[in-house]
Amino acid sequence: MIEIRPDEAIVVKVLFWNIRQQPLFAVLGDLIREHSIDIVAIAECGLEPEAARLEIQSACDFQMHLPSSGSSRVVVISRLGGEQFREVDLDMTSTMTIRSAHFGGQEFLWAFVHLSSKLYRGEADQAASAREVSHRLREIEFRRGHRR
C-alpha cells in the first residue's frame, strides 16, 4: 500500500512485459515480490484477465486487483486497490489502454501500448501507430485538464 505524505514524491513501480503467451506467472510473481512492483501490464497474456490475476496472486502472495477488463491485448493487474487506487478506463482499443488512477487527490494517466512486431510491420507502421497513441493521449489529457 502506498502511503502518501505531502512532502514526498509518489513512487509507483510498473512492469510491462510481453510474455508471448508463455506461462511465466511464477517469474512475474518473483519480480513483483523482489522489486515491490505495484502495477503489472501484460501483453499477449494468453489467459483471460481474471485467470491471469489469480495466477499472479498465487505466485507472488500479494492480494492483486483487476481494476478493469476489456478487449485490449494488454492486461493490467495492480497490487493497489480500494479508494487509494481508483482506476477508470478512458480509452481502450485492441492494442492499448489509457487509464486514470487517483493518488492523494491527484489524477495520474497511464497509457499501456502493445505495438505490432517489427517482424510483421515496418518502422513507418510503428511510427504511425505511435503518433496515433500520442494524439489520443493528448486529447484525453486536454479533456481531463492535464498539462505537460
Side-chain angles (χ1 to χ4, degrees), residues 12-74:
V12 178
K13 294 183 180 179
V14 178
L15 171 65
F16 185 102
W17 193 2
N18 180 346
I19 63 172
R20 294 187 174 92
Q21 300 186 30
Q22 299 296 312
L24 298 173
F25 298 103
V27 175
L28 282 167
D30 290 343
L31 289 170
I32 291 166
R33 261 194 327 277
E34 184 177 333
H35 299 285
S36 299
I37 302 297
D38 298 305
I39 298 171
V40 179
I42 308 166
E44 297 183 23
C45 180
L47 293 178
E48 291 297 316
E50 178 60 14
R53 182 192 72 80
L54 292 172
E55 287 283 342
I56 290 173
Q57 181 170 289
S58 174
C60 73
D61 296 325
F62 287 125
Q63 178 67 38
M64 301 300 287
H65 304 275
L66 185 63
S68 62
S69 60
S71 61
S72 177
R73 288 189 294 172
V74 181

Side-chain angles (χ1 to χ4, degrees), residues 14 26 34 37 59 71 80 85 89 92 94 108 118 139 145-146:
V14 178
E34 184 177 333
I37 302 297
S71 61
L80 312 170
F85 186 70
D89 284 321
M92 186 179 287
S94 65
F108 294 84
K118 286 185 180 178
E139 284 178 350
H146 289 264

Side-chain angles (χ1 to χ4, degrees), residues 64-106:
M64 301 300 287
H65 304 275
L66 185 63
S68 62
S69 60
S71 61
S72 177
R73 288 189 294 172
V74 181
V75 175
V76 178
I77 299 170
S78 172
R79 208 163 53 100
L80 312 170
E83 282 302 306
Q84 188 177 35
F85 186 70
R86 298 183 318 272
E87 187 171 16
V88 178
D89 284 321
L90 298 174
D91 193 0
M92 186 179 287
T93 66
S94 65
T95 59
M96 77 173 189
T97 180
I98 299 174
R99 298 167 182 233
S100 168
H102 298 266
F103 296 97
Q106 292 184 345

